[in-house]
Amino acid sequence: RTPQADGVDEVLCLDGLATLADAWIDGVHVLASDNMFVSHRVRLPAPGAPSCELVVRFRSLDAALAALRERPRWRAPMVENQKLRRVRTTLLGRTPGWSPAAAAVGPWRPVRLETARGLRPAVACSLDASLSGDDGCVRLHGHLDIEAAGPLELVLEEGGRTWRAPLARGADGAVAGELVVPAARRWWPNGYGEPVLHRASIDEAAHAGRPARRRVALGTVGFRSIEIDRADDGFRLVVNGVPVFCRGACWMPLDPVALTAPAEAYAEAVAQVREAGFTMLRVCGPTVYEDDALYDACDAAGVLVWQDLMFANLDYPGDDPAFAASVSREVREQLGRLRGRPCLAVVCGNSEVSQQAAMLGAAREAWSPPLFETTLRALAEACVPGVPYWPSSAWGGAFPHQAGSGTTSFYGVGAYLRPLDDAGVLDVRFATECLGFANVPEPAAIERMPGGAGLRVHHPGWAARTPRDLGAGWDFDDVRDAYLASVFGIDPVALRREDHDRYLELGRVVTGEAMRATFVRWRAQGARCGGGLVWTLRDLWAGSGWGLLDERGEPKAAWHLLRAALRPRAVAVTDRGGDGLRLHVFNDSPAPLAATLELQRVRDGEPLGLPACRAIEVAPHGAAAIDAVAMLEGFEDLNHAYRFGPRSIDAVSVTLRGDDGTLIDRCVHVCDARVGAAERDVGLSVEPAAMPDGRPGLRIRTQRLARWVAVRIAQHVPDDSYFHLPPGGEVHVGLRPLVPGAPLRGAVQALNAERRARVDA
């Protein structure tokens, strides 16, 4: 302990205790906590000794819940103990159908000492950034318990420019002020522009001929407007007046046991998300309020955050005064941390509470609890002004999860086993979660599962890590197998018995193909669909989990296939039945796109005729569509919709090039997804070739159509994999070494070819 000046306290800060906790300092009881999501500040006794003793006791949550007898109005099938509705704690570790059985117990946020006056931190200021026409405005209010002899200024810095405004000082350290930035550069979501941030600080100004003595950093702010467009019962975010197609995934903690991670781990994870073309992450109600480091990274990367409050599925007792008071404190504290952050796009009252009430037979009035409709709405509007509030993750229709109105949890493609075109038939307006599949990981992740590389899908060690609803007679491996049968036209049970490795390879691909096809449909719908967030971004442990990434953040096939559909500037193909194939060009960027489309038909793995070309122009933040047959000299039944004889082609390759001939994007659309026996050799070749940034890489070529080319190099993660290459095609794939200097050893293989192209350098 350090002696403090008069009037300055030494304060013990306990930033999070999970979950039923009591604390004593030198034998004196100083706090009791029953909310994991609130922090505590305790003044230490006046220093009479160089140290003091802190004891924290965590009581059994199971024992406390056993004493409760009240029955909920519905039973949430994902949660084992319904009485958790009365306790403010995470559901992670308590949902055995999809998370490791490692419930949070103990201090899950830092325990630290700080100095303060009257239990207040030395600096506690709120910044609000808003737009007034083209100008940015920052308002500051709070307190600054730091002695300063000179006047105080609010300072903003960006791009070598500086703006200053005086701060008014009041009693007890209060400060307030406002600063206007003329023609401010705006903060934009990923792909729609640059996420411009302004550094904010409080400076003690020069006075009486003396230079300024002190600067207090306040972090960064970004100028952007954000609102929800509900036209025609839809749901679409509009940022800076521009409709944004939100695509991304539902965030899971990087460490499901510690529930926190180093700041650099958050930065790396968000950089990966940005590179994949994602515009949004959702912090979900069954998890935890995340570290500041996540929001710092999202601010810097231009990744929007859909922020659930930590309520999910259960029938919460909002009419209990003690519960409501605890929740109020929690929400004020947690949203207070997020005030002024440009990444914060939506505050949502809960995850699927309204949907669960409706689906599980509760009366209609239970679908709209006042806790989420009224209480938390008012708190959110006060704590984070200017950020839209939404009552529940599935909300807005005749029933909460109706796809064609408001927001929904979309599992038509997925758990409900609907065909892939269900994503378009249902006119989904915004999917806050969707496409939950048991995504097969890469072989290296299987080696980390119980049983290692020899583990088979039917083994209990595999099934224990496959997501499921408690009490259901199926799991999400069964869902994947259903799409193996319907999309690829194979018998998954027979294939698993006869060739388990090929079963896994096709299983990796089919879930990614379902995601890719769904997002292409949604993106092609234009204003009808405002976006979708895949459930989930990352696995919580090694296994066939919902994650697009495994538990170490390494991509699965679904990640690569989805990423190809989400680039800010991209080309895609949709099958419109009797109207043929349609080519789509997307341009999210703020600059117009002048380009050339090339259409190449493929038959029997070889090019058919010369490519057809057409110039195209796409407005900023716009899209364009062309029917494929309009690029040809006459009518051709490219998608075999009319069934006049055998198929005329196997695939079309569509290339988008800039005016200078540079490749912008390429899409190969396979007209018949069914997979038969692989041919012997498609002429696939590979050679090492360094990337422009100096990283190792591979140059991959093919003579014939190569489908789902998988890149596997030991101790390296490829930038791209599971792509189609047209005949004569070439691609340069970068590699990220997991071990510095690791040699390039492995293979590249197309799923429609038996022969692999090996690498040994």
Side-chain angles (χ1 to χ4, degrees):
R1 299 183 60 187
T2 304
Q4 303 299 321
D6 290 343
V8 177
D9 296 317
E10 201 169 17
V11 179
L12 175 68
C13 303
L14 300 107
D15 292 342
L17 302 173
T19 292
L20 303 179
D22 290 272
W24 293 262
I25 295 178
D26 289 339
V28 177
H29 188 264
V30 293
L31 71 86
S33 178
D34 60 0
N35 188 329
M36 173 179 172
F37 304 122
V38 300
S39 63
H40 304 273
R41 298 170 65 82
V42 180
R43 180 188 292 112
L44 292 185
S51 64
C52 57
E53 182 186 58
L54 168 67
V55 174
V56 185
R57 180 189 68 182
F58 295 91
R59 290 184 285 117
S60 166
L61 184 56
D62 286 344
L65 293 177
L68 301 177
R69 293 290 181 265
E70 183 183 32
R71 295 176 64 86
R73 290 171 291 180
W74 66 87
R75 182 178 180 83
M78 290 299 295
V79 183
E80 194 169 39
N81 191 334
Q82 303 296 303
K83 297 175 183 180
L84 286 167
R85 71 195 189 97
R86 282 210 163 262
V87 181
R88 298 304 300 135
T89 193
T90 180
L91 295 183
L92 281 177
R94 298 182 172 91
T95 51
W98 65 277
S99 65
V105 177
W108 73 286
R109 288 287 190 249
V111 175
R112 54 196 173 83
L113 283 176
E114 69 175 32
T115 58
R117 297 178 185 270
L119 289 184
R120 297 188 318 190
V123 179
C125 295
S126 293
L127 288 172
D128 292 318
S130 60
L131 285 166
S132 178
D134 291 333
D135 298 339
C137 180
V138 174
R139 293 180 176 86
L140 177 146
H141 62 89
H143 75 270
L144 184 70
D145 285 341
I146 295 176
E147 293 183 4
L152 299 180
E153 293 180 326
L154 175 61
V155 180
L156 285 188
E157 298 173 291
E158 185 275 320
R161 298 181 295 171
T162 302
W163 299 267
R164 298 177 180 272
L167 288 175
R169 303 181 68 176
D172 198 24
V175 292
E178 179 178 307
L179 190 156
V180 174
V181 178
R185 296 180 67 205
R186 301 190 180 195
W187 184 95
W188 287 94
N190 182 28
Y192 286 79
E194 290 303 313
V196 177
L197 293 174
H198 294 66
R199 292 188 303 276
S201 63
I202 295 175
D203 282 12
E204 181 184 1
H207 68 289
R210 297 170 59 185
R213 295 193 304 165
R214 189 190 303 271
R215 163 167 288 195
V216 177
L218 300 176
T220 58
V221 296
F223 297 112
R224 60 100 180 95
S225 64
I226 191 162
E227 57 188 343
I228 298 174
D229 180 3
R230 290 297 325 277
D232 193 25
D233 288 333
F235 185 102
R236 195 175 185 100
L237 285 181
V238 179
V239 180
N240 297 329
V242 174
V244 172
F245 180 74
C246 295
R247 65 276 195 161
C250 296
W251 175 267
M252 288 290 127
L254 298 180
D255 185 331
V257 178
L259 301 178
T260 189
E264 55 270 22
Y266 287 101
E268 291 171 5
V270 173
Q272 187 179 27
V273 160
R274 174 182 170 86
E275 190 277 332
F278 288 12
T279 59
M280 177 175 275
L281 292 172
R282 175 181 162 214
V283 179
C284 303
T287 62
V288 294
Y289 299 101
E290 270 292 354
D291 278 4
D292 288 345
L294 173 65
Y295 305 99
D296 289 341
C298 289
D299 281 344
V303 175
L304 298 165
V305 173
W306 176 296
Q307 177 68 57
D308 284 359
L309 303 177
M310 292 300 118
F311 302 87
N313 301 71
L314 298 167
D315 181 16
Y316 292 96
D319 55 351
D320 182 318
F323 183 89
S326 179
V327 165
S328 177
R329 178 183 173 188
E330 166 193 324
V331 172
R332 290 180 188 278
E333 179 178 326
Q334 297 296 338
L335 292 186
R337 292 195 299 124
L338 304 182
R339 185 165 184 151
R341 288 192 175 275
C343 70
L344 185 62
V346 177
V347 172
C348 182
N350 65 73
S351 171
E352 291 192 338
V353 167
S354 296
Q355 170 179 313
Q356 293 284 284
M359 293 184 76
L360 297 170
R364 186 175 287 270
E365 58 267 21
W367 303 358
S368 305
L371 175 64
F372 305 114
E373 281 287 304
T374 306
T375 306
L376 296 185
R377 180 190 297 275
L379 281 172
E381 290 172 350
C383 293
V384 283
V387 176
Y389 176 83
W390 195 246
S392 189
S393 60
W395 182 258
F399 48 89
H401 48 291
Q402 187 173 21
S405 181
T407 60
T408 190
S409 299
F410 176 72
Y411 294 111
V413 177
Y416 307 149
L417 306 183
R418 301 287 296 168
L420 296 189
D421 60 6
D422 197 55
V425 170
L426 282 181
D427 190 25
V428 175
R429 310 308 294 274
F430 194 105
T432 51
E433 58 186 75
C434 60
L435 301 168
F437 286 100
N439 293 308
V440 179
E442 290 295 289
I446 294 177
E447 291 178 7
R448 298 193 295 271
M449 295 175 65
L455 189 63
R456 295 295 182 259
V457 172
H458 65 275
H459 192 279
W462 181 289
R465 297 190 175 189
T466 297
R468 71 193 68 235
D469 280 344
L470 298 180
W474 55 273
D475 64 19
F476 281 80
D477 277 338
D478 297 322
V479 172
R480 184 186 64 246
D481 282 358
Y483 284 92
L484 276 171
S486 64
V487 176
F488 283 171
I490 62 173
D491 180 345
V493 175
L495 181 62
R496 188 177 68 200
R497 180 176 62 245
E498 296 164 6
D499 190 343
H500 191 267
D501 287 345
R502 185 159 178 80
Y503 164 83
L504 290 181
E505 290 288 19
L506 293 177
R508 290 183 178 101
V509 165
V510 74
T511 60
E513 276 297 319
M515 294 180 187
R516 183 201 60 78
T518 296
F519 271 86
V520 166
R521 284 185 174 88
W522 286 346
R523 203 173 180 187
Q525 284 181 266
R528 295 296 297 177
C529 182
L533 307 174
V534 175
W535 182 267
T536 60
L537 177 66
R538 191 162 172 161
D539 283 345
L540 296 169
W541 52 1
S544 185
W546 281 314
L548 297 168
L549 306 168
D550 68 24
E551 89 287 3
R552 293 188 177 179
E554 295 172 15
K556 301 182 186 180
W559 169 269
H560 291 295
L561 286 159
L562 183 59
R563 172 178 169 270
L566 299 183
R567 297 184 179 103
R569 286 185 163 182
V571 63
V573 179
T574 57
D575 186 334
R576 296 181 53 83
D579 283 349
L581 300 180
R582 180 164 291 178
L583 316 183
H584 302 269
V585 179
F586 306 110
N587 178 33
D588 292 344
S589 78
L593 173 63
T596 299
L597 270 178
E598 300 175 2
L599 174 67
Q600 175 67 66
R601 294 162 294 163
V602 179
R603 182 166 64 194
D604 296 330
E606 303 284 353
L608 178 63
L610 296 174
C613 299
R614 171 173 289 198
I616 188 169
E617 294 185 358
V618 186
H621 309 307
I626 298 175
D627 288 319
V629 74
M631 298 183 64
L632 306 177
E633 293 182 357
F635 171 75
E636 289 189 32
D637 186 12
L638 296 176
N639 58 338
H640 199 50
Y642 295 95
R643 312 289 175 179
F644 295 155
R647 286 185 178 273
S648 61
I649 61 169
D650 304 326
V652 295
S653 174
V654 185
T655 304
L656 184 67
R657 297 188 185 276
D659 279 348
D660 59 357
T662 57
L663 177 67
I664 298 173
D665 194 28
R666 177 167 55 200
C667 169
V668 177
H669 174 80
V670 177
C671 296
D672 185 358
R674 289 176 296 177
V675 291
E679 56 184 287
R680 174 62 185 160
D681 191 357
V682 295
L684 199 64
S685 64
V686 60
E687 61 183 11
M691 301 296 289
D693 60 6
R695 290 184 301 135
L698 302 174
R699 181 176 288 109
I700 303 170
R701 300 184 178 95
T702 187
Q703 296 174 4
R704 296 167 52 77
L705 175 65
R707 298 171 63 179
W708 296 297
V709 178
V711 179
R712 293 205 180 99
I713 306 298
Q715 300 298 329
H716 291 79
V717 178
D719 292 346
D720 200 4
S721 192
Y722 296 98
F723 47 82
H724 299 317
L725 265 184
E730 176 181 318
V731 67
H732 203 176
V733 175
L735 300 170
R736 174 171 59 86
L738 297 176
V739 177
L744 300 184
R745 292 198 179 100
V748 175
Q749 182 174 20
L751 262 67
N752 63 324
E754 294 179 0
R755 191 186 71 82
R756 301 178 180 183
R758 297 195 175 276
V759 181
D760 191 356

